[in-house]
Amino acid sequence: MKQSILRNGLNNNPKPILLIGASGELGGALATHYATLGAALCLWGRDADRLATIANACRIAGATRVDVRSLDLRDVDATIAAIARDDDTEPFDLAIIASGLGDIKAVGALVEDAAQVAQLGLVNFVAPSAIAAELGARMAKRKLGKIVIIGSAAAFHALPFAIAYAGSKAGLARFADALRINLRPHGVFVTLVSPGFIDTAAARKVAGPKPMLMSPARAARLIAQATQRGQAHLITPWPFAFLRLVDRALPRFARDWLLRALTPPGR
Ligand SMILES: NC(=O)c1ccc[n+]([C@@H]2O[C@H](COP(=O)([O-])OP(=O)(O)OC[C@H]3O[C@@H](n4cnc5c(N)ncnc54)[C@H](OP(=O)(O)O)[C@@H]3O)[C@@H](O)[C@H]2O)c1
């Protein structure tokens, strides 16, 4: 039973899949993807109305069961307690952390606002890392589980106009990779996903060109495939993997020049 949901996302009596950030567009697309496979879902988000809407859509799409939890991830202690409660009630074999906050420096600002830097650190690094640690320890005891962490291709580059976003996602990427190595001998797979641009309202709010823009539905399908394979790292679309190599290979002065040249005017 346990193995089949990990392979297929399908089961006659499936364990719920935990989806954090389900009220968002990528999270919603992931929820719908698994709903069409007949999964049971535990959807977490903050906006209760959007969560209710996506929960209804998932029921219509074929989810066998949908539970929702609305909470603010910035309250990290409450978040960890909620993970423990939900996992005690019914253990998760698969958890996808697709929450996140985007931001770029305001026009004319010298650096990003300190309070905003703190918010991004909490939502993009502290909360997802703590959730993954709590779930990882629990899954390791059961010798079964998959944790998927949605990072960003922004983590590959020291973006001077999105310092907090690039920095928090880079920290999350390193955490995910280390956790993967830590947990693999205990039967737990950790998959890091580093997407380029996905066509969501959050992405559209950020000015500038968005090459190789992907639909949330396509991103969700690719993430589900990588999850099924237990892939260590999905970088999508693939040219972002090439850009990562270029960033690493360039001498510092050339890389700094390029990143300054890519900075939108006024930022
Ligand atoms: N869109 C892109 O181009 C792109 C590219 C690379 C990586 N990503 C990553 O993909 C993930 C999803 O992005 P998206 O574009 O789908 O963004 P989105 O629609 O804004 O979704 C973000 C999700 O995070 C949740 N969230 C934010 N702050 C929260 C908080 N304090 N407490 C609880 N939940 C909170 C939101 O909940 P509420 O809406 O309920 O507040 C929402 O469910 C993020 O990690 C993002 O960094 C996106």
Side-chain angles (χ1 to χ4, degrees):
M1 277 287 209
K2 278 181 173 180
Q3 292 301 335
S4 80
I5 193 158
L6 291 177
R7 277 200 307 274
N8 309 319
L10 276 173
N11 198 312
N12 290 335
N13 181 21
K15 293 259 187 72
I17 296 171
L18 174 62
L19 232 160
I20 298 175
S23 49
E25 283 193 61
L26 177 59
L30 282 159
T32 310
H33 175 89
Y34 283 106
T36 58
L37 298 177
L41 297 167
C42 179
L43 305 180
W44 279 30
R46 186 175 42 172
D47 186 305
D49 290 342
R50 271 208 301 275
L51 261 185
T53 304
I54 186 71
N56 277 338
C58 288
R59 289 182 190 107
I60 292 165
T64 42
R65 208 178 79 218
V66 185
D67 300 316
V68 294
R69 183 187 279 282
S70 167
L71 88 179
D72 192 326
L73 296 173
R74 290 172 298 181
D75 188 342
V76 179
D77 289 342
T79 298
I80 298 167
I83 286 285
R85 265 198 309 277
D86 283 2
D87 190 72
D88 279 344
T89 307
E90 202 170 359
F92 297 113
D93 289 347
L94 171 57
I96 305 178
I97 307 172
S99 45
L101 264 187
D103 189 44
I104 67 168
K105 189 155 64 99
V107 174
L110 186 60
V111 290
E112 281 168 78
D113 176 64
Q116 185 65 9
V117 172
Q119 299 296 304
L120 260 77
L122 276 175
V123 176
N124 288 352
F125 176 71
V126 177
S129 304
I131 290 168
E134 178 67 24
L135 281 171
R138 289 166 164 268
M139 288 174 174
K141 275 194 197 143
R142 305 193 284 265
K143 300 248 170 270
L144 180 83
K146 289 185 171 182
I147 301 172
V148 180
I149 298 177
I150 310 297
S152 170
F156 306 152
H157 312 287
L159 302 175
F161 50 91
I163 305 168
Y165 185 69
S168 56
K169 289 291 189 176
L172 183 63
R174 186 53 64 101
F175 183 92
D177 204 27
L179 187 70
R180 176 182 61 77
I181 298 166
N182 178 197
L183 289 179
R184 189 62 201 92
H186 303 280
V188 181
F189 293 83
V190 177
T191 295
L192 169 66
V193 180
S194 302
F197 296 104
I198 306 169
D199 192 11
T200 66
R204 285 190 294 276
K205 266 199 289 190
V206 181
K210 296 182 184 67
M212 294 168 281
L213 192 66
M214 249 184 312
S215 72
R218 175 165 167 74
R221 271 197 310 278
L222 294 172
I223 292 167
Q225 283 164 9
T227 303
Q228 197 170 320
R229 289 193 292 266
Q231 191 171 327
H233 192 183
L234 169 68
I235 304 175
T236 182
W238 69 264
F240 285 90
F242 175 71
L243 291 175
R244 178 187 189 218
L245 292 178
V246 171
D247 189 294
R248 286 177 172 179
L250 282 178
R252 189 181 296 275
F253 77 89
R255 193 200 60 151
D256 290 3
W257 177 86
L258 194 63
L259 289 169
R260 278 201 199 95
L262 288 172
T263 300
R267 310 271 179 180

